[in-house]
Amino acid sequence: GAVVSQHPSWVICKSGTSVKIECRSLDFQATTMFWYRQFPKQSLMLMATSNEGSKATYEQGVEKDKFLINHASLTLSTLTVTSAHPEDSSFYICSASGPRFSGTFGSGTRLTVV
Amino acid sequence: AQTVTQSQPEMSVQEAETVTLSCTYDTSESDYYLFWYKQPPSRQMILVIRQEAYKQQNATENRFSVNFQKAAKSFSLKISDSQLGDAAMYFCAYNTGGTSYGKLTFGQGTILTVHP
């Protein structure tokens, strides 16, 4: 149990376009989802926390208008990188928590903006 | 704010030997959780072991065990009988539990190389 599916695993987009990343809990209800960002050979930095049905809480320094998070259901959260630029290129990874499971990670998305 | 520090950017070990990865943390909380995660080249985060601060007994999962020193705020990971598949980046992580369970603060990571 406690499987989190994240798609796409790899995406290349042109500068100025938007990209949506999906995170789904497959076999449990994820009341809370967390979005992290990781640069090569560095640690994971929490970007935001989203609770189902409410607005996301962003960490200090994270632009909420650039990184739009939606958590409309108990099984799906999305991260949209708007007007992406090369500096947004990174590895994005979600994790989900629910009444029975916590800290289960998706497989991550490698975003490259060209 | 809580912080997690891993002072060993890289470690290496011979296959079948034992290696210990260090982690220290800073918190004013009395109840919290500590974790070790493994991130292989695939970058999938894999939970290795979890320790609840209120438990004095050190957690153990097969070849993986921790040395949890609450007073010293130290949480090291020991890998016994190291295998080639143990090669990965290892992260120590912390959270306060409760409604924040799942919200993790990570250390900088330690790259572990296993030599055949």
Side-chain angles (χ1 to χ4, degrees), chain A residues 28-87:
Chain A
F28 69 103
Q29 293 183 331
T31 52
T32 306
M33 287 197 178
F34 305 90
W35 288 93
Y36 295 85
R37 182 174 183 175
Q38 185 183 29
F39 290 106
K41 295 191 176 182
Q42 293 189 25
S43 188
L44 282 74
M45 298 300 295
L46 181 67
M47 299 174 65
T49 301
S50 72
N51 292 298
E52 185 265 337
S54 61
K55 289 185 178 181
T57 301
Y58 292 81
E59 296 298 303
Q60 190 173 8
V62 177
E63 298 177 60
K64 63 180 181 181
D65 294 330
K66 165 166 279 295
F67 300 101
L68 300 180
I69 291 171
N70 182 282
H71 192 170
S73 78
L74 286 171
T75 58
L76 174 64
S77 177
T78 60
L79 167 67
T80 301
V81 183
T82 63
S83 187
H85 291 286
E87 58 266 29

